[in-house]
Amino acid sequence: MTKRVIIATKNQGKAKEFQNMFAPYGYEVQTLLDLPHIDDVEETGSTFEENAILKAETVAEELGAMVIADDSGLAVDALDGRPGVYSARYAGLEKSDEANIDKVLDELKDVPNGDRSARFHCVLAIAGPGMETRTVTGTCDGQILQERRGTNGFGYDPVFFVPSLGKSMAELLPKEKSSISHRGIALEKLGALITDLV
């Protein structure tokens, strides 16, 4: 019987990262794109951690398999931590990266460069039959630019400036991004956990 791990996402970029991680352990990686009968889990938690656990445990129970879910987003200090857990739908229920960026830029239009600090958060939760749910966290600090820069990445990447690299997240090559990004850091921590879990 093939060992499999389900990634509770419909994002193919994320799926690829997980496939690389689990390949050495002989696990087949599937995402919700492979399982269209699984409904989206409503994210009712008030923190990234609550939402990640909720998604992982709900799907694990439904499928009887090991499931990894992530919840991630942007927290801007001048906006009291918003958009936070509402990052994906900040500008409305229809997910739109462009509209979300426009809303953040508009809310920060009178905020000077020195006060535009922000960070990306990522929490990964791993759950499965007969196992205790575990979580790992990654963060990446930066600041919000006045306008978009770069065409790589997704979400808020074009307006998230990484001072240590002198570039926006959307100007980084995939390899550069994964070495410093919130998800890259969380994935690295998860990799250390995987050896225990599998």
Side-chain angles (χ1 to χ4, degrees):
M1 186 174 138
T2 312
K3 297 184 292 185
R4 67 172 180 160
V5 60
I6 313 295
I7 312 302
T9 184
K10 292 182 177 170
N11 181 315
Q12 284 173 319
K14 287 184 194 178
K16 202 163 185 57
E17 291 175 344
F18 284 108
Q19 276 163 349
N20 295 339
M21 182 189 289
F22 278 96
Y25 302 102
Y27 272 75
E28 179 197 349
V29 171
Q30 290 186 317
T31 70
L32 297 183
L33 291 169
D34 304 307
L35 303 160
H37 63 285
I38 300 289
D39 291 327
D40 275 340
V41 177
E42 201 178 334
E43 297 177 14
T44 53
S46 59
T47 64
F48 295 120
E49 187 169 45
E50 284 175 13
N51 281 331
I53 290 171
L54 184 67
K55 286 189 274 191
E57 290 183 346
T58 304
V59 179
E61 198 172 320
E62 201 166 334
L63 294 172
M66 187 156 69
V67 172
I68 296 172
D70 94 327
D71 198 42
S72 45
L74 175 71
V76 181
D77 294 324
L79 301 179
D80 298 321
R82 293 193 313 276
V85 292
Y86 304 108
S87 291
R89 297 184 174 83
Y90 194 46
L93 288 178
E94 290 297 316
K95 288 184 183 179
S96 162
D97 289 349
E98 294 308 311
N100 289 337
I101 288 174
D102 287 341
K103 183 172 180 180
V104 166
L105 290 180
D106 185 57
E107 290 183 334
L108 291 174
K109 66 178 182 288
D110 300 321
V111 177
N113 283 340
D115 297 327
R116 297 168 76 96
S117 55
R119 69 206 42 79
F120 276 126
H121 281 275
C122 172
V123 177
L124 295 173
I126 182 161
M131 65 180 272
E132 183 193 342
T133 302
R134 308 276 289 275
T135 61
V136 291
T137 305
T139 58
C140 178
D141 289 295
Q143 55 201 62
I144 303 301
L145 294 162
Q146 305 272 3
E147 55 191 28
R148 293 165 173 80
R149 277 174 47 178
T151 53
N152 300 333
F154 57 92
Y156 297 92
D157 288 357
V159 292
F160 189 88
F161 182 72
V162 184
S164 61
L165 297 174
K167 295 177 182 178
S168 80
M169 201 71 111
E171 292 175 306
L172 301 179
L173 296 169
K175 199 171 181 177
E176 287 179 296
K177 181 182 172 181
S178 65
S179 69
I180 57 102
S181 77
H182 51 309
R183 187 168 297 105
I185 291 163
L187 278 170
E188 206 169 295
K189 291 182 185 174
L190 185 69
L193 255 190
I194 296 302
T195 12
D196 297 344
L197 295 170
V198 301

